Amino acid sequence: MLEIKNLHANIGDKEILKGIDLSVQAGEIHAVMGPNGSGKSTLAQVLAGHPAYEVTEGTVMYDGRNLLEMDPEVRAQEGIFLAFQYPIEIPGVTNAYFLRSAYNEIRKAKGMPELDPLEFLDLMEEKTKIVEMDQAMMNRSVNTGFSGGEKKRNEILQMAVLEPRLAILDETDSGLDIDALKVVSNGVNALRRPDNATIVVTHYQRLLNYIVPDQVHVLAQGRIVKSGGKELALELEERGYDWIPGAAA
Amino acid sequence: MSSAIESLVNKEYAYGFVTDVESDTIGRGLNEDVVRLISSKKNEPAFMLEWRLKAYRRWLTMKEPHWGNLHYEPIDYQNIIYYSAPKSVKPLQSLDEVDPELLRAYEKLGISLNEQKKLSGVALDAIFDSVSVGTTMKEELSRHGIVFCSFGEAVQSHPDLIERYLGTVVPHSDNFYAALNAAVFSDGSFCYIPKGVKCPMELSTYFRINSADTGQFERTLIVADEGASVSYLEGCTAPRRDTNQLHAAVVELIALDNASIKYSTVQNWYAGDKNGVGGIYNFVTKRGKCAGVNSKISWTQVETGSAITWKYPSVILQGDNSTGEFYSVAVVNNHQQADTGTKMIHIGKNTKSNIVSKGISAGHGSNSYRGQVKILPRATNARNYTQCDSMLIGNECGAHTFPYIEVQNNTATLEHEASTSKIGEDQIFYCKQRGLSAEHAVSMIVSGFCREVFQNLPMEFAVEAQQLLGITLEGSVG
C-alpha cells in the first residue's frame, strides 16, 4: 500500500529525514518509535503533505501512485489521514459542520452523493459512541477550548467518520491519562480492517499495549536504524535507545 | 508566506460595469449657487433651502478631519460633480414607467424592480446616482400607514415629518462630511413607521453610483414612532473606474418609546484595483437616537468594499432602558483602508449597549476599529459589552484597535474584550488534511470568525454576506 524509498526531507536548510525506507501493507499496523528530534513527526507531516517540509530526494508510492505529487487535500480524499499531535483550533466553526464538510468533500471525490445534515447526524450518533464522546461536543467549535484529552478523542472521531485507508497517528498518546488512552486505543482497534493500515508514531511503549503493532521501527537521526516485531517495543522500554547502532546521540 | 496565503483575494469586482443612460449633470465644483440649483431641481420648500445654505456656510468654516488611521491624496472638492440624474427619471406613477435601461442595470446587479419577480417580503427603494428610480411594494406598505419613499418625494408629500426630524440626530453642523452632505444631498430614502405598527416586510435601499466624477451624497431618515418596529437593509455598488469617487452619506434613525429599528448594511462599493488605483472614498455618518423609553437600535454592517471607509454607526441612548447594538464585519484586501467602529452614548438610566466588531485584513489592507463608549452622569446602571477581534491573512496587512472609554457614573458596568489572530498555514493545512480545498478552508475559518455578526443579519442577507466575503478574499490564499 505504501512504499517509502530513500526519503530525504528538509525544513528550511536543515535536513531532518536522511533516507527513510519503509513498506506498509494493507491490514498492518506499524509503530515508529525513537528519541526526541529523531524525525518521527516530520515523517508523519511529510506523508500528509505539510508545505513547511521540502522533500529533496526519494520516492513515496501510495497504491502504486506518486504520493509526493498529490496536494494535501487530494491525499486526504485518497484515504490518508493524519491524527495531529497538536490538533488545530478553528473558532466559530462547529465540529459537526467541519466534519460534515470534510466527509462530503471526500465522498464527492469518490463520486458518492453527499449527506445532508440530518443523515449526517445519524452517522454521528453511531460514530461518537466509538470514542465515548458526548454528542454535545459536535456543537462546539473545532478543538476550541477542548482539553488535551478531548482534542485527541476528537481526532479519533474524525478518523472514525472519514474511514481512511492509511491512518497516521502522531503522538496520539501524549497527554492522555490511562482511561483516555484506553478509549482512544479501543477506537483505533475498532476501526481496523483488512484493507486499511495504520502507522503509529509514539514515544512510549505503553500505547502499544493497547494497539498491538505488526512491526516496530526505530527512527534515529533521520534514518530507520532497526526494525522488528512487537517485542522490540518492549525491549526499547527496558533498555532505551542507546544500545542500537546509529541511535546513540 | 507560502503561495497558500497569497492567492485568495484577487477575483474581479463583478459589479464594475457602467450603464449607458443620458444624464442631467451640472458643472463641477461647489458654491452657493450649486446648493440653490440642487434645491430648485428638487423643487424644495423654503425651509429645506435654508437648511442647506446654513450647512454649506458652516462647511466652509470646517476642516477635513484627519484623525482617522487613513492615508490618501487630498480630495479636490471643486473637481467633483455634485448632481447627476438619469434624464429619464421624472415623477413616476408606477414602476412600469421606469427606463428599461435602468431596470436592466438593476437586473444585472441581481435586483429586480419588477414587482412580480420581487422576493416577497422585501420592499426596495433604488437610488441611481443622485436620485431614486423607484420604490416597490408601496401600496402594500401604505395600507399599514407606512411611508417608504425617496427622500425627494417625502419632502413633497410629508414636509411636516421632514421638517420635524431632519437633522435632529445628525445636525447640519455635525462634522465636515455631514455638513457637506446636508448642503448638497440629492436624494435618499425616507421611512416612517406609525405608532404601534410592526413593519410586515424588510425595507431596503440599493445605492448605485454610475456617472464618473460625481459624488454621491444621499441621506436616509428612518423614524419609528411609539411601539413601532422595522428592519431595514442597505446595499451598494459602483462601476470600476481608475479615479476615486466620493461617497458622503448620512443616515439618521429615530426610535421613540418602545420602538425598535434594525439597520443592516452590506457595503460593496468598488474598492480599487489590486494596486490600489481607483475606488470609492466612503465617508459616512450614521447615527441613531433611542429617544424613547425601552427603545432599541441595532446596526449590523458588513463592509467589504471602498478604497477608504470612514464610518462609525452610533447610538445615542437617551431614553431610559434603551438598547444600542453594533455588529460589524470589516474586510480590507489589496490596498483598502478602513477606519470604522461605533459610538455608544449612554444618557438614560439602565441603558445597555453591545458591540461586536470583527476586522479581517488581507493583502496590504489596513483595518482600524475605533469605538467610543461614553457614560454620562445621569446614566445609572448603564452597561456596555465590547468585543473586538481582528484576523490577519498574510504578512503585509495591518489591524489596529482604538477604544475610547469615558465613564461619568460609577454604577456603570463595562467589559472590553479584544483578540488578534492570524489565519495560519497550520489551520489551512489541518483543513486540507481533512480533504478541504484552501479556498473552502479560508471561507470556513473566516465565516467562523464572523459568526456572531452574521447571526444578526436577516436570512437572505446573511447568505449574500457570506458569499461576498468568499469573493472578497478569493486569491488571498493559494
Side-chain angles (χ1 to χ4, degrees):
Chain A
M1 176 189 271
L2 186 74
E3 288 292 339
I4 304 175
K5 287 211 172 96
N6 190 32
L7 181 66
H8 290 251
N10 288 5
I11 186 159
D13 291 332
K14 194 173 176 214
E15 186 170 53
I16 311 277
L17 300 184
K18 300 171 181 168
I20 302 268
D21 293 287
L22 180 65
S23 172
V24 178
Q25 306 307 318
E28 293 180 346
I29 294 182
H30 288 241
V32 174
M33 302 183 72
N36 281 331
S38 58
K40 302 189 298 293
S41 281
T42 298
L43 176 62
Q45 300 276 350
V46 166
L47 291 177
H50 195 290
Y53 299 92
E54 188 196 352
V55 173
T56 52
E57 219 185 313
T59 57
V60 180
M61 301 302 283
Y62 172 65
D63 281 340
R65 295 166 62 194
N66 184 351
L67 184 74
L68 300 176
E69 280 182 353
M70 298 180 195
D71 285 332
E73 61 269 36
V74 175
R75 298 184 198 196
Q77 289 157 8
E78 294 290 333
I80 290 185
F81 180 92
L82 173 64
F84 282 59
Q85 182 177 5
Y86 304 107
I88 309 292
E89 302 186 355
I90 311 177
V93 176
T94 64
N95 232 353
Y97 181 77
F98 176 72
L99 197 43
R100 183 163 58 86
S101 302
Y103 182 74
N104 280 334
E105 221 37 73
I106 289 172
R107 301 244 318 171
K108 238 182 355 195
K110 288 182 186 159
M112 290 159 76
E114 298 181 30
L115 289 195
D116 67 34
L118 286 178
E119 293 168 320
F120 189 72
L121 203 65
D122 291 341
L123 179 72
M124 290 315 299
E125 207 167 320
E126 172 198 329
K127 298 290 186 182
T128 44
K129 282 183 197 147
I130 296 175
V131 288
E132 299 177 25
M133 192 192 259
D134 188 346
Q135 279 262 54
M137 292 277 284
M138 296 313 294
N139 296 321
R140 288 171 57 185
S141 294
V142 180
N143 293 325
T144 311
F146 285 23
S147 69
E150 283 173 333
K151 283 183 181 174
K152 295 296 174 73
R153 233 181 251 218
N154 200 30
E155 292 291 289
I156 303 306
L157 172 70
Q158 294 183 17
M159 175 177 151
V161 172
L162 302 178
E163 297 184 328
R165 292 202 58 225
L166 175 65
I168 303 157
L169 311 183
D170 188 6
E171 306 271 4
T172 295
D173 51 334
S174 67
L176 290 186
D177 61 33
I178 194 75
D179 292 330
L181 187 69
K182 278 186 196 163
V183 169
V184 164
S185 315
N186 289 342
V188 172
N189 288 327
L191 297 168
R192 191 169 180 181
R193 287 203 317 261
D195 62 343
N196 65 21
T198 308
I199 297 174
V200 181
V201 172
T202 182
H203 233 76
Y204 301 107
Q205 187 271 334
R206 70 170 188 169
L207 177 67
L208 304 178
N209 290 333
Y210 302 98
I211 303 173
V212 181
D214 298 294
Q215 283 189 54
V216 175
H217 310 278
V218 177
L219 192 61
Q221 296 178 33
R223 290 190 187 88
I224 289 177
V225 291
K226 193 170 178 61
S227 295
K230 63 185 173 202
E231 61 291 340
L232 176 58
L234 292 168
E235 198 173 353
L236 292 170
E237 179 81 354
E238 207 169 301
R239 301 175 61 187
Y241 294 104
D242 288 350
W243 59 277
I244 302 170
Chain B
M1 191 63 37
S2 85
S3 58
I5 294 196
E6 264 166 33
S7 75
L8 206 119
V9 186
N10 298 323
K11 173 137 179 182
E12 294 253 326
Y13 184 67
Y15 310 102
F17 62 89
V18 180
T19 306
D20 191 12
V21 288
E22 225 184 314
S23 291
D24 170 16
T25 301
I26 65 171
R28 285 168 201 269
L30 183 56
N31 54 46
E32 230 173 88
D33 290 340
V34 169
V35 177
R36 286 176 197 280
L37 181 65
I38 291 171
S39 187
S40 82
K41 276 187 183 290
K42 310 293 294 179
N43 195 25
E44 287 177 347
F47 80 87
M48 282 298 301
L49 176 61
E50 278 161 33
W51 193 72
R52 285 176 182 279
L53 289 172
K54 214 162 51 173
Y56 174 68
R57 288 166 195 152
R58 185 61 183 261
W59 178 73
L60 289 176
T61 70
M62 297 170 102
K63 285 216 163 16
E64 207 180 284
H66 288 289
W67 42 260
N69 185 21
L70 302 168
H71 307 278
Y72 53 94
E73 294 293 306
I75 299 169
D76 180 357
Y77 292 91
Q78 295 306 332
N79 197 32
I80 292 172
I81 297 166
Y82 286 86
Y83 184 88
S84 176
K87 264 195 179 150
S88 58
V89 176
K90 299 265 158 23
L92 300 175
Q93 295 311 308
S94 84
L95 285 168
D96 301 339
E97 297 172 36
V98 175
D99 182 341
E101 196 58 42
L102 289 176
L103 289 181
R104 272 196 291 277
Y106 279 91
E107 297 273 354
K108 238 170 132 173
L109 296 168
I111 293 161
S112 174
L113 295 178
N114 190 322
E115 297 264 1
Q116 284 81 27
K117 287 195 215 151
K118 277 214 53 61
L119 270 171
S120 58
V122 181
L124 182 79
D125 185 24
I127 312 269
F128 195 87
D129 286 338
S130 298
V131 296
S132 168
V133 295
T135 310
T136 66
M137 312 291 267
K138 265 181 160 168
E139 274 173 38
E140 163 80 15
L141 291 168
S142 67
R143 255 182 275 146
H144 297 270
I146 294 166
V147 183
F148 178 48
C149 60
S150 72
F151 203 99
E153 214 176 314
V155 168
Q156 306 302 322
S157 60
H158 297 85
D160 47 327
L161 286 174
I162 299 290
E163 193 167 8
R164 184 156 160 205
Y165 290 110
L166 176 68
T168 58
V169 185
V170 180
H172 71 276
S173 56
D174 191 80
N175 67 65
F176 183 83
Y177 299 106
L180 179 63
N181 172 286
V184 302
F185 81 94
S186 38
D187 216 331
S189 290
F190 173 75
C191 169
Y192 173 78
I193 316 289
K195 271 184 196 171
V197 173
K198 311 258 175 261
C199 186
M201 62 186 80
E202 306 273 352
L203 302 185
S204 172
T205 302
Y206 195 94
F207 295 103
R208 173 77 180 166
I209 297 178
N210 189 59
S211 303
D213 299 332
T214 54
Q216 180 146 338
F217 306 93
E218 80 279 350
R219 197 164 182 111
T220 300
L221 174 58
I222 299 174
V223 181
D225 211 325
E226 292 170 20
S229 72
V230 62
S231 170
Y232 190 92
L233 320 173
E234 175 204 299
C236 29
T237 58
R240 187 174 342 129
R241 297 188 189 280
D242 56 11
T243 52
N244 297 107
Q245 274 178 289
L246 179 63
H247 173 251
V250 171
V251 176
E252 294 182 278
L253 311 181
I254 298 151
L256 301 182
D257 288 355
N258 303 304
S260 75
I261 300 174
K262 181 176 169 63
Y263 194 105
S264 313
T265 307
V266 173
Q267 186 263 106
N268 188 21
W269 296 117
Y270 178 53
D273 68 11
K274 64 178 192 295
N275 299 315
V277 176
I280 302 291
Y281 286 172
N282 194 34
F283 294 94
V284 171
T285 305
K286 289 183 166 178
R287 195 175 303 149
K289 182 152 85 178
C290 284
V293 297
N294 304 319
S295 55
K296 179 176 173 181
I297 288 178
S298 178
W299 297 101
T300 306
Q301 61 172 18
V302 178
E303 302 280 313
T304 62
S306 296
I308 289 178
T309 298
W310 179 95
K311 174 178 166 186
Y312 315 90
S314 306
V315 184
I316 300 169
L317 296 150
Q318 191 181 63
D320 290 347
N321 310 319
S322 58
T323 305
E325 294 176 337
F326 174 73
Y327 302 101
S328 170
V329 168
V331 186
V332 292
N333 192 5
N334 298 323
H335 291 267
Q336 283 176 275
Q337 304 174 57
D339 191 301
T340 184
T342 184
K343 283 190 272 187
M344 294 290 174
I345 314 295
H346 293 252
I347 301 173
K349 294 183 178 61
N350 306 316
T351 45
K352 273 195 309 200
S353 62
N354 197 20
I355 299 170
V356 178
S357 164
K358 304 278 182 176
I360 299 165
S361 314
H364 294 83
S366 162
N367 209 333
S368 301
Y369 166 80
R370 190 181 299 276
Q372 183 183 39
V373 178
K374 193 169 181 173
I375 315 286
L376 292 175
R378 210 178 66 77
T380 310
N381 297 323
R383 290 187 70 98
N384 164 263
Y385 171 75
T386 299
Q387 184 190 338
C388 181
D389 299 324
S390 304
M391 179 176 268
L392 303 169
I393 304 177
N395 290 332
E396 317 277 336
C397 55
H400 316 270
T401 303
F402 304 97
Y404 303 84
I405 295 170
E406 197 182 325
V407 180
Q408 298 175 24
N409 182 315
N410 60 15
T411 62
T413 310
L414 280 83
E415 290 173 76
H416 185 104
E417 285 181 29
S419 76
T420 302
S421 58
K422 192 169 166 188
I423 292 196
E425 286 298 330
D426 283 340
Q427 261 178 334
I428 292 171
F429 178 63
Y430 188 66
C431 294
K432 282 180 150 189
Q433 213 302 303
R434 298 301 183 249
L436 304 169
S437 67
E439 269 77 12
H440 195 155
V442 169
S443 95
M444 182 184 271
I445 294 164
V446 169
S447 299
F449 177 70
C450 301
R451 193 168 169 213
E452 290 140 292
V453 174
F454 287 163
Q455 279 169 343
N456 285 290
L457 284 173
M459 184 67 99
E460 315 84 69
F461 242 36
V463 174
E464 190 187 326
Q466 207 143 347
Q467 284 166 351
L468 189 59
L469 219 60
I471 291 169
T472 306
L473 290 172
E474 202 161 311
S476 67
V477 178

